[in-house]
Amino acid sequence: RRRNQRPTSEREPAIAVDKTRIARAFYCDVLHGRQVWDSEGAGSLSFIVEGTRIDVSTSAAGESEPVVLSVANPARLAERCWDVGYSVRVDHDATGEARVSVIDPFGRRIELVR
């Protein structure tokens, strides 16, 4: 062990740190949200994006319900997500209107509505 390195038992697991960093990059940097903490959810990741609280689960996120996020310009936000490498889906409803959603780094769908 290097002299200035702390013992492993005192450090957070590298995987947890990496998932937190990935979540912050998406929810804070790309979606322009902010991370929030509460005393009840110790150890959980939560973000406020456009006034909506999003609790992030890094396991089985693709199985959870999509988050509906109301934004001023869904197309512009989807384009920003696409430009930095995130998946974007465009579906059409029964009326032919386009519905745009992005997929977070853990597989959860976020529907963007005006």
Side-chain angles (χ1 to χ4, degrees):
R1 190 171 87 210
R2 291 184 181 155
R3 188 183 311 214
N4 61 353
Q5 214 176 19
R6 294 184 301 181
T8 307
S9 62
E10 292 179 16
R11 291 185 289 161
E12 287 186 63
I15 291 173
V17 171
D18 195 45
K19 288 180 179 179
T20 301
R21 183 184 54 77
I22 290 167
R24 284 181 184 146
F26 180 73
Y27 286 100
C28 295
D29 299 342
V30 178
L31 297 186
H32 297 162
R34 63 184 173 84
Q35 188 172 1
V36 294
W37 293 265
D38 60 20
S39 59
E40 299 144 16
S44 67
L45 286 171
S46 298
F47 299 89
I48 300 289
V49 180
E50 296 290 336
T52 300
R53 182 184 175 123
I54 302 172
D55 296 317
V56 178
S57 170
T58 58
S59 62
E63 299 173 9
S64 56
E65 288 293 314
V67 172
V68 177
L69 190 60
S70 179
V71 298
N73 191 332
R76 184 177 298 150
L77 182 55
E79 184 177 333
R80 186 168 64 227
C81 291
W82 177 264
D83 287 347
V84 294
Y86 293 100
S87 297
V88 175
R89 292 181 52 185
V90 179
D91 298 312
H92 293 15
D93 63 15
T95 66
E97 190 171 328
R99 291 186 348 212
V100 180
S101 59
V102 297
I103 309 301
D104 85 353
F106 309 105
R108 187 172 198 180
R109 189 173 57 152
I110 301 171
E111 293 181 3
L112 305 176
V113 299
R114 186 172 296 279

